[in-house]
Every structure is written in C-alpha cells, then in structure tokens.
Amino acid sequence: MAGKSGAPWWAHVMLYAGGVTMVIAGGAAAVTQIGVSTANNALENEDILGDAQADMDVENISGPLNILVLGVDKQGGSTRSDTMIMVHVNEDLTDVSMVSLPRDLYVEIPDCGPDWGNDTCMQKLNHAASISDDWETTRANVVDTIYNLTGVEFHMGATVDFNGFMDLVDLVDEIELCPWEDITSIHGEKRFFPEGCNYYNKEESLDLIRQRYGWTDWENGLGGDYGRQAMQQQAIKALIKELKADGYHKDVGKLTDLFEGLDGKLTLDLPDGLTAVDLAMNLRDLNPEDITSIRVPATSLKTEVGDSEVIAEGEQQIAADALWSALQDDTMDQWIAQYPEWVKQTGNAATETAAEPAGETATTD
C-alpha cells in the first residue's frame, strides 16, 4: 500500500490543475516560444470523473471550480490511491481552499470488493481504492464514494504519481523543509531530521514527507497523519518556490525540462475544449503561499475496522455538512470564518520562532 512505499502525498501539486500551472502561469511568453501544442501534449489526459463531471464554460473560464485530486501509487502492475484532495477555487479565481480527505475517514463505500460481495459497507476511505487491481474499477469507486459523502460536483480531475514527481527535486538540487519537532525516520537509513529549517535533497525530502508516526503535536492538529499532510504541503510549496527562483517560468529550455519531468507522473481530466495552458493562464494570479488548508471535522475513534477518523454526530456533522455545501456554493470564506478550528496549520507557523536555519542536510544514525 501507499503508506509503506512512500506513495503519494503530493497530489497537493494539483491545486492549480497540476504543479505545472504555477510555472506556466508565471511565464506565458516562454510557453508561447515553446509552442502551445507542446505544452498541452506534455500531460496525459485521463477519464477520471466519468459522467459525474460538472459543466463549465470553457470559453470564458471563471470560478467557482472544484478539482478532485487523487494521489496514486503504481506498483506491481496495479494502481492504488490513498490520497484524496478536494481543491476549490473561488469565483474570481483568486483564492484556493484545499480539503485533504483523511485516508482513515470512516465512510460508506458503494463497492467494498469481492470479500464483501461487492456490496455497500462502512469502511475506511482508502479501502475504496483497494477493491481491485483494475484502476478503472477502483478509480470509479473512489469518485463515487467521495461524491456520496460530500455531494460536491467536480469540474476537473487529476491523478499524480508522487514518487515520480519527487524526481523534480533533482531539477533544483534541494528544497527547504521546516519540521516543527525532531523526527527520526522509521525507514531504512534512519535519518534524523532536526527541528527547524534545512535544505534536503530528493531522497531526504521523500523520507521526511513519508513520516507518519513521529509527529506528536496533537494539540495543534499536527499529530500522526495530520503532521504528514502538513509536511507534504510544505514540500510542494517549497518545490514551486525553488523552481520559480531558478527561472523555470522564464527559461524555455528549463520549462521544457519541467514538462518532460511531469510526463507519466500527472494526468488531467479537463472538460472538452479546455487545455492545460488555457487553465494555467486563467489561474496565473494564484499564489501557493495563500492556500487555505482545511481539516475535515472528525475525531479519532475505534470502529469495527480499527482506528478511524469519524465525523461525529452533532457539531462535527453540522460543520462537515456546511463544508460540503460551502465547496459547492462558493462560500468557503464564510465557512472558514465560522469554523476556524478546522483550518489546518501546515507547520510553517510552528517554525517561525525556531532557530535560524542551519542549511544542513539530514544525518543518519
């Protein structure tokens, strides 16, 4: 499964319909020089949403837009997903909200696989993507599960292969990550990551953002898998920052390298008539530092399928129902003001008072 292999956290990159959007949007002139067809053909098209795709005006692009992002793990001939993110762009295309659905969220799944007679059951969300080695089957099951839970209609979809995408770190050599507490890796080399900001290469970055059990700051909503999500969000922002600093949005040769680096790692499901470049140009004013990350209102509880994240009856259920409505109705600003306790820290604030960055890489013990 993805958790053991370091599979995808990073579908966050698709908050702009693919991490490529920030780069394209910053360098329209460079895109023109390369050729629009080259840019558009660099990314694979995939039917992700099926008949459930919402209508949109592709001639006059405006919000609100809802994008479903599925992080995928490709192993042994099968494709699985345990990262599911709902990205919302407001009507003016100026604000982005990102809701990460917990992999252990206790939900009703329409098809629980052969062991359940392919019937409906209550299970953890990531079970929806484990019923078959056939990605066509599991992908549709995941989409149906999320729609049944939220009622949100998606205009676009995307899948991203995390391990492959991390190869892009090689383009910038290192990215800066800022863990808010000391972390000792549970993986092979047992690297030690000190609290505070340091620069890490691809292998070190991948190791750090895979950590799930070392995060202990439950008081600030940064414990366990929530800490992993926060670290992952840091990583994608740091990567985009370094790519822009190195001029990938202005240099034709570098931009070509970036497109080629995304080949096979990112697929898009766009409405007929809409291209990746068209979308990128319309989202050019979005800033990765201004993303609002949302936690699904839920509590960690034991269920008949083990430790789960449960949307409890009462206040949490009311807040969750209001969240789904806000995504659909483009009232996220009002929801955020009403439910600030579910606005998720990404870990950056926790490092602002940390010691000055030492600029060191991770060590092994």
Side-chain angles (χ1 to χ4, degrees):
M1 288 299 295
K4 294 181 180 180
S5 65
W9 48 270
W10 66 274
H12 309 300
V13 70
M14 275 305 306
L15 56 98
Y16 302 120
V20 67
T21 300
M22 276 300 294
V23 180
I24 299 175
V31 172
T32 301
Q33 293 176 48
I34 292 176
V36 172
S37 62
T38 300
N40 285 327
N41 293 333
L43 300 178
E44 180 184 348
N45 294 318
E46 180 179 8
D47 182 10
I48 297 169
L49 300 174
D51 295 336
Q53 190 167 44
D55 293 331
M56 65 174 289
D57 184 354
V58 299
E59 298 295 331
N60 302 286
I61 299 174
S62 64
L65 300 175
N66 287 313
I67 306 168
L68 178 62
V69 181
L70 304 177
V72 298
D73 177 24
K74 299 177 181 179
Q75 292 189 51
S78 66
T79 300
R80 303 290 177 87
S81 173
D82 72 348
T83 298
M84 299 103 177
I85 300 172
M86 305 165 68
V87 179
H88 177 82
V89 185
N90 70 343
E91 181 178 6
D92 297 331
L93 305 180
T94 55
D95 292 324
V96 176
S97 299
M98 184 169 61
V99 181
S100 296
L101 296 168
R103 51 180 284 161
D104 293 336
L105 190 63
Y106 188 61
V107 298
E108 183 177 88
I109 297 175
D111 180 355
C112 278
D115 291 343
W116 298 73
N118 296 105
D119 289 334
T120 298
C121 72
M122 295 297 296
Q123 254 285 5
K124 298 179 183 180
L125 177 58
N126 67 336
H127 180 79
S130 65
I131 63 167
S132 170
D133 287 336
D134 181 0
W135 174 235
E136 299 289 330
T137 298
T138 57
R139 183 186 61 205
N141 198 39
V142 169
V143 172
D144 288 345
T145 299
I146 294 173
Y147 178 77
N148 291 346
L149 172 69
T150 69
V152 173
E153 298 177 334
F154 296 97
H155 303 88
M156 289 167 272
T159 67
V160 285
D161 179 353
F162 162 69
N163 287 320
F165 185 81
M166 285 304 292
D167 290 341
L168 294 183
V169 175
D170 280 342
L171 294 178
V172 297
D173 295 326
E174 297 176 319
I175 59 174
E176 185 181 37
L177 298 176
C178 304
W180 50 95
E181 57 184 295
D182 291 346
I183 291 290
T184 298
S185 173
I186 63 172
H187 305 128
E189 294 190 29
K190 307 296 183 185
R191 295 181 178 91
F192 174 72
F193 300 92
E195 175 186 348
C197 298
N198 288 287
Y199 278 86
Y200 300 107
N201 63 25
K202 179 182 70 175
E203 290 77 14
E204 295 158 348
S205 299
L206 176 58
D207 194 2
L208 179 54
I209 58 107
R210 287 174 62 197
Q211 303 304 315
R212 183 181 180 194
Y213 299 105
W215 304 108
T216 62
D217 189 7
W218 293 99
E219 182 177 352
N220 291 309
L222 293 172
D225 196 48
Y226 291 114
R228 183 183 68 140
Q229 292 175 18
M231 199 74 256
Q232 292 164 355
Q233 291 171 19
Q234 270 198 40
I236 190 57
K237 292 180 183 181
L239 178 56
I240 293 174
K241 178 180 177 181
E242 294 296 332
L243 288 169
K244 294 186 70 176
D246 282 2
Y248 277 84
H249 61 305
K250 298 179 180 179
D251 186 286
V252 174
K254 288 185 174 182
L255 193 58
T256 301
D257 289 342
L258 182 66
F259 286 146
E260 292 177 347
L262 286 168
D263 183 34
K265 304 172 179 68
L266 174 70
T267 72
L268 298 177
D269 185 0
L270 302 179
D272 290 340
L274 179 64
T275 69
V277 171
D278 290 337
L279 180 63
M281 292 301 101
N282 281 273
L283 300 181
R284 61 185 176 273
D285 294 330
L286 298 178
N287 186 333
E289 296 297 332
D290 296 334
I291 305 164
T292 301
S293 299
I294 307 297
R295 282 186 59 186
V296 173
T299 299
S300 298
L301 294 173
K302 283 189 177 297
T303 68
E304 67 271 21
V305 295
D307 293 336
S308 307
E309 293 297 309
V310 178
I311 301 174
E313 294 183 3
E315 294 183 0
Q316 286 185 5
Q317 187 66 65
I318 293 172
D321 289 343
L323 174 59
W324 315 141
S325 295
L327 289 168
Q328 184 69 19
D329 301 336
D330 194 28
T331 54
M332 284 302 299
D333 54 345
Q334 298 174 33
W335 188 91
I336 291 167
Q338 185 174 358
Y339 298 102
E341 66 270 27
W342 299 109
V343 177
K344 185 170 60 176
Q345 296 290 333
T346 63
N348 295 326
T351 61
E352 290 177 355
T353 58
E356 290 293 320
E360 302 173 352
T361 58
T363 60
T364 57
D365 52 20

